[in-house]
Amino acid sequence: VAERVARGITRSVKGVKIVRSGDDEIDSESGESDTESASTDKSRFDVQRIIVRFDHDRCTISADSSGELLHRRGWRQAVAKAPLRETLAAAMIAACEWNGEVPLVDPFCGSGTIGIEAVLRTRNIAPGLTRAFAMELWPGTSATMVKGARDIARAAARTGTGVPVVMSDRDEGAVRAARANAERAGVLGDLTIECHSLSDTVLPNIGDTGLVLTNPPYGLRVSDALDLRGLYARLGDVVREGGRGWRLALLVPDRKLAGQVKLPMKPVLRTTNGGIPVSVELTKAAKSAKREGAATPETSPRATPSPSP
């Protein structure tokens, strides 16, 4: 198939040279390294990729207009262990219907993908605004049109989030990566990024509502053979301590593991992460851990954490 398509192109377009597709163009579902990020250098697009697809004997031939894969927004150049795709983080936020009106907390932030995507969403910053695309070098593409589209997108962006978006991780390297990525994305000032363990997490006390949205370790890829039940139980404690208006959403491959948080959960999204089937499990508003008749949230002590590893 490739030879026939190549032959047709070389006969129709003078001066074209056919090259074999490199390994770096393979999608991560089948082996792509997530350590690469989108480039803003248009000079990289010196090769035009042609895609041939067959579906029930129907053949579709298309020219790749993006260059690097679309999930690469352009800002994620520093990565931590088991990185999360930008598009998956955005899908998690959309599935939980977070609209930027309540605080969002990610206590296992890694390289900061969830928090950064949350700010980009609530500030209406267009995905991929800072990256380049292969179609910009196509014959006939108007540079004025491309610039105009970017100018319109920049003008539509809002300033500030209005609510806290907090990211934390116990790994100092991950926190440094998150800060570097947030700065490249232009949203560092909209985020609170901290280095501490899950047990030290304190949820923002603003209206006693919010969302904890995170991609915790789940015993695959990085944390093989670890018993994470205590970690998930502590995560449930953190949410309950925040107040009855706080919800929790987890990206997990095993609903039994999510059950350790001891909160009723339901799947709102099913997909894959690095080839692993996963779901986003979302709780209803958590029951408050504060005693009835206790002092106001400003003066009442926080509940005593349960033992955890």
Side-chain angles (χ1 to χ4, degrees):
V1 173
E3 289 177 356
R4 286 176 179 248
V5 173
R7 191 182 308 126
I9 293 174
T10 54
R11 288 176 178 176
S12 301
V13 184
K14 294 181 179 179
V16 168
K17 179 182 179 182
I18 303 298
V19 297
R20 184 177 297 276
S21 178
D23 293 338
D24 59 337
E25 296 178 288
I26 299 174
D27 186 276
S28 67
E29 295 294 335
S30 57
E32 176 215 12
S33 172
D34 260 331
T35 59
E36 297 184 31
S37 58
S39 172
T40 57
D41 183 7
K42 297 178 186 177
S43 66
R44 294 189 60 179
F45 305 138
D46 57 349
V47 175
Q48 174 62 59
R49 186 164 65 164
I50 304 297
I51 310 297
V52 182
R53 297 180 177 91
F54 278 92
D55 182 18
H56 292 84
D57 291 334
R58 178 183 294 272
C59 178
T60 302
I61 301 177
S62 56
D64 175 23
S65 62
S66 302
E68 295 186 88
L69 300 176
L70 282 174
H71 77 271
R72 297 175 179 173
R73 313 288 210 202
W75 51 262
R76 196 186 71 174
Q77 298 179 23
V79 295
K81 296 178 180 179
L84 187 70
R85 276 188 172 200
E86 299 93 308
T87 43
L88 180 51
M92 293 169 61
I93 296 164
C96 296
E97 299 182 351
W98 184 77
N99 54 14
E101 295 180 356
V102 299
L104 184 143
V105 176
D106 179 4
F108 302 101
C109 73
S111 52
T113 310
I114 291 176
I116 293 171
E117 284 293 323
V119 173
L120 293 174
R121 177 184 176 87
T122 193
R123 287 188 54 190
N124 197 38
I125 298 176
L129 184 61
T130 59
R131 61 164 284 177
F133 299 90
M135 51 75 59
E136 294 181 52
L137 296 184
W138 283 2
T141 296
S142 168
T144 302
M145 178 275 293
V146 173
K147 181 180 182 301
R150 285 198 170 96
D151 289 343
I152 291 172
R154 290 191 179 98
R158 295 185 285 267
T159 58
T161 59
V163 295
V165 177
V166 181
M167 305 192 299
S168 63
D169 201 289
R170 65 183 303 169
D171 186 299
E172 293 182 358
V175 170
R176 286 194 297 269
R179 287 177 177 149
N181 287 332
E183 185 172 13
R184 272 186 292 270
V187 298
L188 181 59
D190 300 295
L191 290 158
T192 299
I193 307 175
E194 303 170 337
C195 183
H196 57 68
S197 67
L198 173 64
S199 294
D200 293 327
T201 300
V202 178
L203 301 182
N205 192 357
I206 299 178
D208 213 25
T209 61
L211 174 67
V212 175
L213 176 61
T214 190
N215 175 32
Y218 37 73
L220 300 171
R221 300 175 69 183
V222 173
S223 304
D224 287 337
L226 289 181
D227 185 350
L228 300 173
R229 290 175 295 178
L231 184 70
Y232 279 70
R234 179 67 190 118
L235 183 56
D237 291 341
V238 168
V239 176
R240 280 185 288 270
E241 290 164 17
R244 67 175 67 248
W246 277 85
R247 296 186 302 159
L248 169 66
L250 305 173
L251 182 70
V252 291
D254 185 355
R255 297 192 68 189
K256 292 181 180 179
L257 188 57
Q260 298 299 319
V261 301
K262 299 297 188 291
L263 292 168
M265 308 191 80
K266 63 177 181 179
V268 293
L269 175 68
R270 288 188 173 92
T271 183
T272 60
N273 181 23
I276 302 170
V278 293
S279 65
V280 176
E281 303 288 329
L282 175 66
T283 67
K284 298 179 181 179
K287 293 183 179 179
S288 176
K290 303 182 180 79
R291 295 173 295 137
E292 292 188 9
T296 61
E298 289 79 7
T299 59
S300 61
R302 304 193 68 81
T304 303
S306 63
S308 62

